[in-house]
């Protein structure tokens, strides 16, 4: 799995949409909605995502082939890790795709990391290779 810094333009577009809390612009998949439900309201998810994406350098994995739920078009999709809302050392795995028009986003995944630690290990290796914290 290859990780790299998530582009600033992508982060800015996603943050702007998340800050609206507009359900017409943020499409949750059934899986993401059910996985997040024990942690709280949608607005609380948006706060964690925004807080994470506002860091200068957020490392993530670009996910190819994620389709928009509304029209089936490809999205510009990134997976990244967020702090657990209850302070657990196990992070939350998030996967968000921007629709080609950047009018709305698809929130594909938002759940406790699956335990495989692939993304965590890839991020650690990137930081070690490039001497980043």
């Amino acid at each position: 799995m290859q990780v790299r810094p998530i582009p600033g333009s992508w982060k800015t577009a996603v943050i702007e949409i998340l800050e609206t809390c507009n359900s017409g612009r943020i499409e949750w998949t059934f899986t993401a909605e059910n996985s997040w439900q024990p942690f709280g309201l949608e607005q609380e998810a948006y706060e964690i995502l925004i807080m994470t994406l506002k860091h200068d350098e957020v490392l993530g994995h670009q996910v190819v082939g994620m389709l928009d739920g509304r029209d089936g078009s490809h999205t510009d999709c990134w997976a990244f890790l967020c702090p657990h809302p209850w302070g657990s050392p196990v992070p939350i795995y998030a996967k968000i795709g921007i629709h080609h028009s950047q009018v709305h986003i698809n929130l594909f995944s938002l759940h406790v990391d699956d335990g495989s630690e692939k993304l965590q290990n890839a991020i650690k290796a990137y930081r070690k290779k490039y001497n980043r914290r």
Side-chain angles (χ1 to χ4, degrees):
M1 173 179 295
Q2 184 178 2
V3 299
R4 62 185 173 102
I6 296 174
S9 59
W10 186 93
K11 294 188 316 181
T12 299
V14 170
I15 290 168
E16 287 175 1
I17 293 169
L18 290 171
E19 285 177 337
T20 69
C21 296
N22 181 337
S23 61
R25 297 187 70 196
I26 304 168
E27 183 176 335
W28 288 68
T29 63
F30 179 77
T31 302
E33 192 171 357
N34 282 339
S35 299
W36 178 257
Q37 193 173 21
F39 299 113
L41 303 172
E42 289 179 357
Q43 290 78 7
E44 293 168 307
Y46 304 153
E47 290 172 14
I48 288 173
L49 292 166
I50 291 166
M51 176 193 67
T52 300
L53 293 172
K54 282 190 173 182
H55 289 298
D56 289 336
E57 183 177 76
V58 179
L59 299 177
H61 168 68
Q62 189 167 27
V63 182
V64 178
M66 297 303 296
L67 302 177
D68 178 78
R70 296 179 187 188
D71 66 9
S73 63
H74 287 273
T75 64
D76 183 6
C77 186
W78 285 85
F80 56 96
L81 300 175
C82 301
H84 194 289
W86 297 339
S88 169
V90 179
I92 296 290
Y93 174 90
K95 184 167 42 176
I96 298 176
I98 300 177
H99 186 266
H100 65 86
S101 65
Q102 297 188 0
V103 173
H104 69 271
I105 61 175
N106 297 104
L107 186 52
F108 292 110
S109 298
L110 191 61
H111 56 79
V112 173
D113 195 26
D114 65 5
S116 67
E117 299 179 357
K118 288 180 188 176
L119 186 54
Q120 289 183 61
N121 290 336
I123 289 171
K124 286 177 188 174
Y126 178 93
R127 288 184 174 142
K128 183 177 180 180
K129 181 177 179 180
Y130 295 102
N131 294 320
R132 301 212 173 136
R133 294 182 132 207

